[in-house]
Amino acid sequence: MHDDAHRAQRTLNRFLADARPSATYQVMDRVAARRAAGHAVISLSAGEPDFDTPAHVRAAGIAAIEAGQTRYTQVAGLRALREAIAAKFARENGLGVDWRDTLVCSGGKQVIFNALAATLNAGDEVIVPAPYWVSYPEIVQLCGGRAITVACGAASGFKLTPRALAAAITPRTRWLILNSPSNPTGAVYSRAELQALAEVLLAHPQVLVLSDDIYEHLIFDGLEFFTLAQVEPRLQPRVLTMNGVSKAYAMTGWRIGFGTGPRWLIEAMEKLQGQQTSGACTISQHAALAALTGPQDFVRESRAVFQRRRDMVVELLNQAPGLHCAVPQGAFYAFAACAGLLGKTTPAGTTLHSDEDVVNALLDEAGVATVHGSAFGLGPYIRIAYALDDASLRRACTAIRTFCAALTG
């Protein structure tokens, strides 16, 4: 049986065989297993708002079902939704795009996968600033490319600098991926920072840019959001601007992402999607249409809640011996440095050699689930998603502080 399994494994696509599972989902699986075994766990691992989808959006989905809107749509999405997406990009991002320059996908991840699969050839390079969302380098790998990670530490605010970008570009560079606000750090690029990156990119016309703006509306302290194609219109013909309804409208399970970019790229992505999933869920598309065109009160209200939670979580984490957490400007993640915990021993006798050890011990001994920063390309850190109610967040942070205070060595 072992030999049979080994032979079967050799038939896997080599790009898939070399890819790693999502670290976030692995932690979620561990949480589920511990809960099934009767352990109490507060999970700060999932990047998912804890709010219900807004009532008018849910009603639109129900109305679509009742009206029989349950059949195939065009591969690229309902025209009404694509028109609303184009209007959103014009209204909120200053991008004058036609609805034909948009594509609706089954989640933001499919937008990214479609773009890279449609354009990468073996050996093509994709620059991925680290820390990064865990799926970026794996999607690059699955599409036959090489992820070139560029370390962007605390000294640069976890952001890519023009000098680092210029040093990473080679004749094989095909894409740069930018994510602002960032998962996992919450870092936000200013207009000036994007313009400085744009100046480098203008000198390298072979480089496409994927601007992942999925956390656009979760930006704090009165900061203004900017996206690359808006800041430098000369780059718009080679920028794919990606967004979706998952984070801003608490619609993670509805699975609707969308993007806009040059017509040749959108058509290539549509061609690929036509042989892959075809159109996204019809019911979800109608709900997304209601989200984009209906009242926006939910976006403003949830942003205020997340900012309040951020302030509480950062304050509590910085009270924990051995942790240091800078104030994130967006998204709903705190990225706390845990170097001060390494080399110490937990009450259960576990010596902490890495941030992954810290995460495992927090789950096993404190009942709090987080994700290790090294999974995002930069350790030793832990990522904490503050997308939970205030009481749960306070209990979790108190447990983390108690855990840190009990370490010896």
Side-chain angles (χ1 to χ4, degrees), residues 38-305:
H39 300 282
V41 177
I42 302 175
S43 180
L44 307 179
S45 58
E48 181 170 51
D50 60 316
F51 308 115
D52 288 332
T53 302
H56 72 280
V57 177
R58 285 180 277 145
I62 294 168
I65 295 172
E66 296 293 348
Q69 302 288 348
T70 57
R71 307 199 182 272
Y72 294 132
T73 70
Q74 299 92 332
V75 170
L78 292 166
R79 175 167 174 172
L81 178 55
R82 296 175 72 190
E83 289 175 342
I85 290 167
K88 170 262 182 292
F89 281 125
R91 179 178 68 251
E92 297 181 343
N93 307 118
L95 301 179
V97 300
D98 187 84
W99 67 270
R100 298 174 186 83
D101 301 318
T102 67
L103 181 70
V104 180
C105 298
S106 298
K109 190 177 290 187
Q110 190 181 29
V111 180
I112 300 168
F113 202 107
N114 284 352
L116 298 183
T119 55
L120 289 180
N121 290 298
D124 284 349
E125 296 174 353
V126 178
I127 296 173
V128 182
Y132 45 70
W133 178 45
V134 293
S135 289
Y136 292 146
E138 306 311 318
I139 294 175
V140 172
Q141 162 73 22
L142 289 169
C143 293
R146 291 182 60 229
I148 306 299
T149 57
V150 179
C152 304
S156 65
F158 303 112
K159 289 180 275 191
L160 182 67
T161 65
R163 176 176 294 183
L165 172 60
I169 294 175
T170 76
R172 297 305 304 267
T173 304
R174 184 63 168 153
W175 284 93
L176 162 68
I177 297 179
L178 281 180
N179 176 213
S180 174
S182 160
N183 174 9
T185 67
V188 176
Y189 286 83
S190 68
R191 174 187 278 275
E193 288 167 335
L194 289 174
Q195 186 63 59
L197 294 176
E199 295 301 326
V200 175
L201 291 164
L202 286 169
H204 298 277
Q206 86 277 14
V207 181
L208 301 167
V209 184
L210 195 158
S211 182
D212 182 348
D213 300 352
I214 196 71
Y215 295 97
E216 170 188 3
H217 290 294
L218 293 174
I219 190 167
F220 310 131
D221 305 319
L223 292 178
E224 189 174 356
F225 175 80
F226 295 98
T227 193
L228 185 65
Q230 170 190 24
V231 168
E232 181 46 81
R234 287 178 292 175
L235 286 177
Q236 189 167 345
R238 50 190 170 104
V239 174
L240 175 66
T241 304
M242 187 225 104
N243 214 309
V245 295
S246 294
K247 313 299 184 179
Y249 301 97
M251 294 177 67
T252 51
W254 296 81
R255 309 309 304 134
I256 296 293
F258 52 79
T260 186
R263 185 75 58 87
W264 68 266
L265 177 59
I266 295 298
E267 289 177 350
M269 293 166 65
E270 179 183 358
K271 181 180 179 181
L272 176 65
Q273 187 165 301
Q275 302 297 343
Q276 183 190 56
T277 60
S278 299
C281 171
T282 312
I283 300 155
S284 297
Q285 289 192 60
H286 282 281
L289 177 61
L292 293 177
T293 60
Q296 300 297 302
D297 308 60
F298 175 84
V299 175
R300 293 187 293 272
E301 292 164 2
S302 61
R303 181 192 302 121
V305 171

Side-chain angles (χ1 to χ4, degrees), residues 371-403:
V371 187
H372 47 294
S374 54
F376 301 92
L378 188 69
Y381 287 84
I382 58 173
R383 191 199 73 169
I384 290 163
Y386 49 88
L388 276 182
D389 63 275
D390 290 28
S392 296
L393 288 172
R394 189 173 293 277
R395 287 199 309 273
C397 290
T398 300
I400 292 172
R401 183 175 60 195
T402 301
F403 170 86

Side-chain angles (χ1 to χ4, degrees), residues 289-324:
L289 177 61
L292 293 177
T293 60
Q296 300 297 302
D297 308 60
F298 175 84
V299 175
R300 293 187 293 272
E301 292 164 2
S302 61
R303 181 192 302 121
V305 171
F306 279 125
Q307 181 167 330
R308 187 188 72 242
R309 291 176 177 176
R310 175 204 65 173
D311 294 342
M312 176 183 71
V313 166
V314 170
E315 179 183 0
L316 292 173
L317 290 176
N318 281 324
Q319 294 173 7
L323 290 185
H324 172 72

